[in-house]
Amino acid sequence: MKNINKVYREFDQETLDREYTIRFTVPSIDPFIADYARLSEEARSMCECLEDVSYGRHPDEILDIFPAGSNAPVFVYFHGGYWRMLSQKESSFMAPCFVKQGVATVVVNYSLAPGASIDTIVRQCHDAIGWIWHNARIFGGDPSQIYVGGSSAGGHLTGMMVSGGWQAERKIPLNVVKGGVPLSGLHDLEPIRLSNINEWIQMDEAAARRNSPIHNLPDSGCPLIISFGASETSEFKRQSRILYEVWQQKDWFVEFFEHDTRNHFDLVFDLCDQTSLLGRKVFNMIKR
C-alpha cells in the first residue's frame, strides 16, 4: 500500500496544491477577466466616477468611487486575483446596479504579492475603510452605513474587514462595517501557507494566523452573506463553511448558500443584478 505523506488534513502536497489552484475548475479564466475589465470600463462610462482617489501615501493606495446621492449607504468592494493580480480598474462592474439602488460603490486597490506581504495588503484595506469612514460625506456617503464585499482573495479581505482589533488605531467605531459579503473567500490561511500558493504570498505560520478571519473574530459580528459556486473545490467550499460555522456558533446573523449555476469566477456577476438570489440578499441586508 502506497504511503501518503499528508501535508494538511487528508491531503498530500499534490492534492493540496490542486485544491487551491482554483483556475483549473474552469476551462480558462481569460474570458472572465476580460468581462471584468469590459464591464468595469462600461461602469465608469455610465456612472459618475471619482477615479484614483488616494487613501494613503503609497501609489497603490487608491480608490474608484461611484457616488449615489446624499446620505447613501456605501458598498466597498475588494477585488480577487489571489493577492497577486487585478486592480480596482477591473472590479467595478457592479457599480451601476448599486448606484441605481441608491448605494454608493467604492472599489479598493491594494499592492500585490510578491512585492507586498499579506500583512501589508490587509493593512492597506483596513486603511481604506478608515479613510472611507472619515471622508464618506465628501462623496455623499453615509459613514454609519458601510458594507463590504469581495470574491476569492477579496472574500478573504472582506473577512478581515469584519474582524476585530484594528479599528481603534484608525479612530473609527468597532462596528464601522455593518455587513459583509465574502464570496468564495479564504478564512483560514494555514493550508494556503502549506500549498504552492505560498510561493508568491510567502507567509510564515504567524502571518497566516494573524491574517485569518476565523482567528481574529470581532466582539460582535455584523451580518454576513456567504456564498460560493457549485463547481469550486472541496477546500474552497470548506473555507466558506468554516466562517459560516464560527458566525453561527456566536449566534450572529449569517446566510450561507452554494450557487448551483455559478462558478468561482462568475458568481460576482450576480452583484450586477438586483433580482438575482445574491443581489436580493445583498440589497435586503443594506436596506434592512
Side-chain angles (χ1 to χ4, degrees), residues 67-74 102-104 137 139-143 145:
S70 180
N71 294 318
V74 181
V103 181
R137 298 294 184 192
F139 57 88
D142 181 352
Q145 297 188 73

PDB file of all heavy atoms in Angstrom, residues 67-74 102-104 137 139-143 145:
ATOM      1  N   PRO A  67     -20.428  57.752  -6.616  1.00  0.00           N
ATOM      2  CA  PRO A  67     -21.425  58.332  -5.718  1.00  0.00           C
ATOM      3  C   PRO A  67     -22.848  57.937  -6.109  1.00  0.00           C
ATOM      4  O   PRO A  67     -23.122  57.594  -7.272  1.00  0.00           O
ATOM      5  CB  PRO A  67     -21.214  59.837  -5.878  1.00  0.00           C
ATOM      6  CG  PRO A  67     -19.846  59.982  -6.478  1.00  0.00           C
ATOM      7  CD  PRO A  67     -19.668  58.784  -7.341  1.00  0.00           C
ATOM      8  N   ALA A  68     -23.756  58.010  -5.126  1.00  0.00           N
ATOM      9  CA  ALA A  68     -25.157  57.658  -5.382  1.00  0.00           C
ATOM     10  C   ALA A  68     -26.101  58.609  -4.667  1.00  0.00           C
ATOM     11  O   ALA A  68     -27.173  58.208  -4.216  1.00  0.00           O
ATOM     12  CB  ALA A  68     -25.422  56.220  -4.959  1.00  0.00           C
ATOM     13  N   GLY A  69     -25.720  59.871  -4.558  1.00  0.00           N
ATOM     14  CA  GLY A  69     -26.581  60.844  -3.915  1.00  0.00           C
ATOM     15  C   GLY A  69     -26.224  61.073  -2.467  1.00  0.00           C
ATOM     16  O   GLY A  69     -25.252  60.537  -1.947  1.00  0.00           O
ATOM     17  N   SER A  70     -27.035  61.875  -1.810  1.00  0.00           N
ATOM     18  CA  SER A  70     -26.769  62.288  -0.436  1.00  0.00           C
ATOM     19  C   SER A  70     -27.147  61.206   0.570  1.00  0.00           C
ATOM     20  O   SER A  70     -28.183  60.545   0.421  1.00  0.00           O
ATOM     21  CB  SER A  70     -27.562  63.564  -0.138  1.00  0.00           C
ATOM     22  OG  SER A  70     -27.338  64.005   1.176  1.00  0.00           O
ATOM     23  N   ASN A  71     -26.297  61.028   1.570  1.00  0.00           N
ATOM     24  CA  ASN A  71     -26.535  60.064   2.660  1.00  0.00           C
ATOM     25  C   ASN A  71     -26.758  58.640   2.160  1.00  0.00           C
ATOM     26  O   ASN A  71     -27.559  57.885   2.716  1.00  0.00           O
ATOM     27  CB  ASN A  71     -27.729  60.504   3.519  1.00  0.00           C
ATOM     28  CG  ASN A  71     -27.451  61.784   4.265  1.00  0.00           C
ATOM     29  OD1 ASN A  71     -26.363  61.983   4.801  1.00  0.00           O
ATOM     30  ND2 ASN A  71     -28.433  62.674   4.287  1.00  0.00           N
ATOM     31  N   ALA A  72     -26.036  58.276   1.124  1.00  0.00           N
ATOM     32  CA  ALA A  72     -26.181  56.941   0.545  1.00  0.00           C
ATOM     33  C   ALA A  72     -25.389  55.911   1.340  1.00  0.00           C
ATOM     34  O   ALA A  72     -24.271  56.189   1.791  1.00  0.00           O
ATOM     35  CB  ALA A  72     -25.694  56.941  -0.901  1.00  0.00           C
ATOM     36  N   PRO A  73     -25.953  54.712   1.535  1.00  0.00           N
ATOM     37  CA  PRO A  73     -25.125  53.618   2.051  1.00  0.00           C
ATOM     38  C   PRO A  73     -23.924  53.413   1.124  1.00  0.00           C
ATOM     39  O   PRO A  73     -23.974  53.758  -0.062  1.00  0.00           O
ATOM     40  CB  PRO A  73     -26.070  52.406   2.008  1.00  0.00           C
ATOM     41  CG  PRO A  73     -27.436  52.975   1.924  1.00  0.00           C
ATOM     42  CD  PRO A  73     -27.309  54.280   1.190  1.00  0.00           C
ATOM     43  N   VAL A  74     -22.859  52.834   1.657  1.00  0.00           N
ATOM     44  CA  VAL A  74     -21.620  52.656   0.903  1.00  0.00           C
ATOM     45  C   VAL A  74     -21.267  51.180   0.848  1.00  0.00           C
ATOM     46  O   VAL A  74     -21.136  50.525   1.900  1.00  0.00           O
ATOM     47  CB  VAL A  74     -20.457  53.438   1.548  1.00  0.00           C
ATOM     48  CG1 VAL A  74     -19.178  53.260   0.731  1.00  0.00           C
ATOM     49  CG2 VAL A  74     -20.804  54.918   1.675  1.00  0.00           C
ATOM     50  N   GLY A 102     -29.334  53.268  -5.183  1.00  0.00           N
ATOM     51  CA  GLY A 102     -29.048  54.307  -4.201  1.00  0.00           C
ATOM     52  C   GLY A 102     -27.908  53.981  -3.262  1.00  0.00           C
ATOM     53  O   GLY A 102     -27.827  54.566  -2.174  1.00  0.00           O
ATOM     54  N   VAL A 103     -27.005  53.092  -3.687  1.00  0.00           N
ATOM     55  CA  VAL A 103     -25.877  52.672  -2.856  1.00  0.00           C
ATOM     56  C   VAL A 103     -24.572  53.111  -3.519  1.00  0.00           C
ATOM     57  O   VAL A 103     -24.256  52.666  -4.634  1.00  0.00           O
ATOM     58  CB  VAL A 103     -25.876  51.142  -2.646  1.00  0.00           C
ATOM     59  CG1 VAL A 103     -24.704  50.733  -1.763  1.00  0.00           C
ATOM     60  CG2 VAL A 103     -27.197  50.679  -2.033  1.00  0.00           C
ATOM     61  N   ALA A 104     -23.826  53.980  -2.866  1.00  0.00           N
ATOM     62  CA  ALA A 104     -22.514  54.369  -3.388  1.00  0.00           C
ATOM     63  C   ALA A 104     -21.582  53.160  -3.389  1.00  0.00           C
ATOM     64  O   ALA A 104     -21.666  52.300  -2.512  1.00  0.00           O
ATOM     65  CB  ALA A 104     -21.920  55.480  -2.533  1.00  0.00           C
ATOM     66  N   ARG A 137     -18.638  61.634   3.649  1.00  0.00           N
ATOM     67  CA  ARG A 137     -19.507  62.776   3.364  1.00  0.00           C
ATOM     68  C   ARG A 137     -19.055  63.547   2.135  1.00  0.00           C
ATOM     69  O   ARG A 137     -19.868  64.199   1.462  1.00  0.00           O
ATOM     70  CB  ARG A 137     -19.536  63.718   4.572  1.00  0.00           C
ATOM     71  CG  ARG A 137     -20.102  63.113   5.845  1.00  0.00           C
ATOM     72  CD  ARG A 137     -21.571  62.787   5.737  1.00  0.00           C
ATOM     73  NE  ARG A 137     -22.111  62.284   6.996  1.00  0.00           N
ATOM     74  CZ  ARG A 137     -23.301  61.704   7.115  1.00  0.00           C
ATOM     75  NH1 ARG A 137     -24.067  61.564   6.036  1.00  0.00           N
ATOM     76  NH2 ARG A 137     -23.722  61.280   8.292  1.00  0.00           N
ATOM     77  N   PHE A 139     -18.254  62.428  -0.746  1.00  0.00           N
ATOM     78  CA  PHE A 139     -18.909  61.929  -1.953  1.00  0.00           C
ATOM     79  C   PHE A 139     -20.379  61.557  -1.704  1.00  0.00           C
ATOM     80  O   PHE A 139     -20.995  60.853  -2.508  1.00  0.00           O
ATOM     81  CB  PHE A 139     -18.142  60.747  -2.557  1.00  0.00           C
ATOM     82  CG  PHE A 139     -17.934  59.562  -1.645  1.00  0.00           C
ATOM     83  CD1 PHE A 139     -18.874  58.552  -1.568  1.00  0.00           C
ATOM     84  CD2 PHE A 139     -16.783  59.449  -0.882  1.00  0.00           C
ATOM     85  CE1 PHE A 139     -18.683  57.457  -0.739  1.00  0.00           C
ATOM     86  CE2 PHE A 139     -16.568  58.354  -0.051  1.00  0.00           C
ATOM     87  CZ  PHE A 139     -17.526  57.347   0.018  1.00  0.00           C
ATOM     88  N   GLY A 140     -20.951  62.058  -0.609  1.00  0.00           N
ATOM     89  CA  GLY A 140     -22.364  61.830  -0.337  1.00  0.00           C
ATOM     90  C   GLY A 140     -22.672  60.566   0.417  1.00  0.00           C
ATOM     91  O   GLY A 140     -23.844  60.235   0.633  1.00  0.00           O
ATOM     92  N   GLY A 141     -21.648  59.822   0.817  1.00  0.00           N
ATOM     93  CA  GLY A 141     -21.864  58.566   1.524  1.00  0.00           C
ATOM     94  C   GLY A 141     -22.177  58.765   2.991  1.00  0.00           C
ATOM     95  O   GLY A 141     -21.794  59.763   3.600  1.00  0.00           O
ATOM     96  N   ASP A 142     -22.851  57.797   3.560  1.00  0.00           N
ATOM     97  CA  ASP A 142     -23.191  57.799   4.984  1.00  0.00           C
ATOM     98  C   ASP A 142     -22.189  56.904   5.719  1.00  0.00           C
ATOM     99  O   ASP A 142     -22.211  55.679   5.536  1.00  0.00           O
ATOM    100  CB  ASP A 142     -24.610  57.273   5.176  1.00  0.00           C
ATOM    101  CG  ASP A 142     -25.057  57.273   6.632  1.00  0.00           C
ATOM    102  OD1 ASP A 142     -24.227  57.528   7.528  1.00  0.00           O
ATOM    103  OD2 ASP A 142     -26.246  56.974   6.875  1.00  0.00           O
ATOM    104  N   PRO A 143     -21.317  57.466   6.540  1.00  0.00           N
ATOM    105  CA  PRO A 143     -20.304  56.639   7.214  1.00  0.00           C
ATOM    106  C   PRO A 143     -20.894  55.645   8.214  1.00  0.00           C
ATOM    107  O   PRO A 143     -20.201  54.716   8.619  1.00  0.00           O
ATOM    108  CB  PRO A 143     -19.420  57.669   7.916  1.00  0.00           C
ATOM    109  CG  PRO A 143     -20.286  58.875   8.078  1.00  0.00           C
ATOM    110  CD  PRO A 143     -21.184  58.895   6.877  1.00  0.00           C
ATOM    111  N   GLN A 145     -23.233  53.645   7.425  1.00  0.00           N
ATOM    112  CA  GLN A 145     -23.783  52.544   6.626  1.00  0.00           C
ATOM    113  C   GLN A 145     -22.731  52.022   5.639  1.00  0.00           C
ATOM    114  O   GLN A 145     -22.890  52.134   4.427  1.00  0.00           O
ATOM    115  CB  GLN A 145     -25.021  52.998   5.854  1.00  0.00           C
ATOM    116  CG  GLN A 145     -26.192  53.425   6.704  1.00  0.00           C
ATOM    117  CD  GLN A 145     -27.414  53.668   5.841  1.00  0.00           C
ATOM    118  OE1 GLN A 145     -28.051  52.745   5.335  1.00  0.00           O
ATOM    119  NE2 GLN A 145     -27.736  54.936   5.646  1.00  0.00           N
TER     120      GLN A 145
END
